[in-house]
Every structure is written in structure tokens, then in C-alpha cells.
Amino acid sequence: MLERIRDKKLLMNIDEIRAEYPILTREVAGKPLIYLDNAATSQTPRCVVEAIDQMYYHYKANVHRGVHTLSQEATDHVEATRELVRRFINAGSTDEVIFTRGTTESINLVASSFGEKLYSGDEIILTVMEHHSNIVPWQLIGHRKRIRIRAVPVSDDGQLDLEAYEDMFTDNTRFVALAHVSNVLGTVNPVKQMIAIAHRHGVPVLIDGAQAAPHVPIDVQDLDCDFYALSSHKMYGPAGVGVLYGKRRWLESMEPYQGGGEMIGRVTFERTTFADLPFKFEAGTPDFVGISAFGAAIDYIQRLGLDHIAAHEHALLERATDELLTIDGMRIFGTAPGKSAVISFLVRDISSYDMGLLLDKLGVAVRTGHHCAQPLMDRYGVTGTVRASFALYNTLDEVDRFVAAVRRVASMF
Ligand code: C6P
């Protein structure tokens, strides 16, 4: 299978790809499952599940602690994934790649640790399209330290207002944090340009890459971002694993986020010194099984090729968009050029909840509600939307059946 995936001719042989995902043969409500909630979490191919099995069957031991063979082998697996991540995002060094539990924890780490450098009157710039994971951590530190949070507005079609962004910088601006790709609108933000603007003002930038990493090539050195956060479970990998990339100079200047085993140099009751990067930010036993399997997921994505995956998903997005727009009363949120394969929509005044529930009865899994982006919902004057999000294993046939299901539900109201 792996060899055949590498073969360009069979690159997107969808039947072979789908055969790697037993869950896709499931039925829901007596209908074949059409899984379109990939932005919430993607499904996991056999090679990743097998990597988990292999770790439990043959390599389970705590990492970075033992001189015994098993511990060294488990450590090698974790460190091999760190190198795979480094290459995947083109970080300069594995010292700059920190394992966390996910994007949320990565952002909390920066908000807490970098946040110690912030003072009353300082300002942080976010955007209206941020996920709550990139709002609430800043509010927590912001309230404690009396920091002002400002949010870049979003246009009707789902693009950030770059003029407003540039105007937001003041002498007090200390940090910018924004999504690479919106989980609701699919907008791929011009992060490189926005980072350059922030840097002109001497302000570091964190990019929330949770929705970008499975779809968009990432080069942290080319972007010149100061921090980049992502989650394994949205990238065909296991849940409970994430990454924080940080530029060495920032990471070295920041206090640890959590204390515990393995993040120390020397501990006495008077004073503790900390381990070198990246371990300074990895307190306690990490999810070494998940991290190892995440390596298999990155390998899988790279073998298929992000550009091929993106092209396939784009074809699904185009077809779904064109067909959905033929439904009376269809309103799509987020129509920015080059958007990622996510469609948020409402039909007339049918609530997203009703639509989602009835689609589920037809075997279609979509997400409904505010998508952890309530300020964005407020921006569009809605309480929620229906969101279909595509992955590499979805098919045009599924798109057609999904649209037919939406049409059918719409006709019930
Ligand atoms: N969005 C969605 O359905 P975690 O939960 O830590 O892996 O990722 C949080 C997160 C951060 N930023 C963005 C842009 C995201 O989309 C998410 C997760 C999922 O949209 C679950 S709420």
C-alpha cells in the first residue's frame, strides 16, 4: 500500500485510500456514513493505528529517563517524530519543536509564559475570526494584567481588513496572535504579510495553524513567525498530541509553563534550574505513544503530498459550493478566494441544529453551532452555522449525496 501511495499514477486512487480507514465503511442511521466533520477531527488511517499498536506491543517505556533498551527505543521514536515535525514545518532546529497536548495547550503555553513579559496598558492584537482557543488564553492573562485586546475586523466575504490591522499598532502593541486558516470560513489568511507588518512594529506573532497543517504547506522560517501551533488529531494523527514551534530566542527568554519531571536541570528546595530546549517546556511524561504515531501521520501526509491533497479537497469544495448554491435560500459564510475546504452555511431560517440532526439521520456527519468562534458568529449576526469540512478520503460522490441530503432536509421545512 505504502509503495502504491508513492506511485504518482495511483496517487489519489480514492478506493485504496479509503480502504485504509475502516470507519468509513460504517453505517449511521442505516445509511452509509458520509464523514464531513474533518475540521473538528480527521479520521485515522491504518498505518497510524498500527503505529500505536506497535508502540504498545513492543516499545512501551517512559522516555528520556531510562538507560534500558526499551526506554531508549521509545525515546528514539519520540525524537524521530520531533525531527519529522521539524522538517514538516521547516523549523531550524528540533530544539524549537515542543510537544504539547494540542493547539489549545500550545497557545496557553505562550499566553502564560510570554504573557509574563506583558504589563498593564500593553495591547495584543487578535482577529474576529479566532477560535476560542486563541481568544480565551489571552483574556485570562489579559484580565490579570490589565492588557487590552483588540480584534482585526472581518469583511462580509470572510477576509481580514489589513488596513485596519496596520492601523491597530500603537507604541503599546506587544503581541499578535491569529489563525492561519479559519475553522469556520476556510479563509487562508495572508499570514506572511501580516507577520511582516507586525515585525515592522517590533511585535512578535503566534500563528494558530490548527486548520492549516492538514491542508497548507507550512514553512515557519519563510513565514518568519515567532510561534506556530498545531494539533495531530486534525492531521490524521492521534488525539492528545500537538506542537508548539517557537523561535529559540523567545523560548530561551520565557519561563516554563509547567513544572515537573524532565524539565529540570537541578532541583533543590532553594532553587531549580531548567533543562535545555525543548525539554524545558515538556514537564511530566509526554504522550509518547501518541507522539510516535503522530510521526506515522506526518509520514502518511508527506507520502500523499500536501499539494495533491489540497488539489483533491479543492475539487470537492468547488463541487459542493456550486451545488449547494442551487438550493433555495442557501447562504454560505466565507467566500474568500483560495479558501480551504470548509463550507459554513445556513438555509433560510432553518437552525443549524435542526439541519445537523436531520443530516445525521441521512448518514451525514457535519458540525453545527458556533464552532468555538462566537465573536465571528456575532459578526455575521447568527448563533451558529452548519459546517461541512473535507479531507483527502472524501469523494465527489459523497459531495453529491451530501448536497442531496441538504436539499431533502431543506424541503422538510
Ligand atoms: N477546532 C473545530 O471543530 P485543539 O482542540 O486544541 O486540537 O484545537 C483547537 C483549535 C484551535 N484553533 C483552531 C482554528 C481550531 O479550529 C481549533 C479546533 C475544532 O473547529 C474543534 S472546536
Side-chain angles (χ1 to χ4, degrees), residues 308-365:
H308 293 99
I309 294 170
H312 174 71
E313 291 171 346
H314 187 72
L316 301 174
L317 176 71
E318 269 196 349
R319 169 92 140 246
T321 307
D322 290 349
E323 294 300 316
L324 282 175
L325 284 171
T326 64
I327 296 173
D328 192 36
M330 174 61 60
R331 183 177 172 201
I332 291 180
F333 297 82
T335 52
K339 68 178 270 195
S340 168
V342 168
I343 307 182
S344 285
F345 66 92
L346 287 173
V347 184
R348 302 193 305 274
D349 57 355
I350 304 169
S351 83
S352 66
Y353 180 79
D354 288 345
M355 176 64 80
L357 217 57
L358 290 166
L359 285 177
D360 184 57
K361 300 276 174 264
L362 299 172
V364 181

Side-chain angles (χ1 to χ4, degrees), residues 104-122:
T104 301
E105 189 176 61
S106 298
I107 297 172
N108 274 278
L109 189 165
V110 178
S112 295
S113 294
F114 191 93
E116 289 305 320
K117 298 173 183 292
L118 303 176
Y119 299 98
S120 170
D122 285 349

Side-chain angles (χ1 to χ4, degrees), residues 37 39-41 101-105 107 129-131 133-134 179 181-184 208-211 230-234 367 371-372 387:
D37 196 15
T41 196
R101 287 188 299 130
T103 301
T104 301
E105 189 176 61
I107 297 172
M129 66 169 78
E130 294 314 307
H131 186 279
S133 291
N134 201 23
V181 173
S182 161
N183 67 321
V184 177
D208 169 354
Q211 297 294 345
L230 55 83
S231 295
S232 151
H233 70 98
K234 296 187 197 291
R367 186 166 173 190
H371 313 296
C372 302
R387 184 189 68 186

Side-chain angles (χ1 to χ4, degrees), residues 43 61 77 84 92 110 114 174 282 313 358 370:
Q43 298 301 340
H77 278 101
L84 282 170
V110 178
F114 191 93
R174 296 285 174 265
E282 293 181 356
E313 291 171 346
L358 290 166
H370 55 64

Side-chain angles (χ1 to χ4, degrees), residues 156-173:
D156 287 346
D157 68 351
Q159 302 196 63
L160 292 174
D161 180 339
L162 292 191
E163 263 178 45
Y165 169 64
E166 185 127 34
D167 287 347
M168 275 180 189
F169 285 88
T170 71
D171 290 345
N172 296 325
T173 309

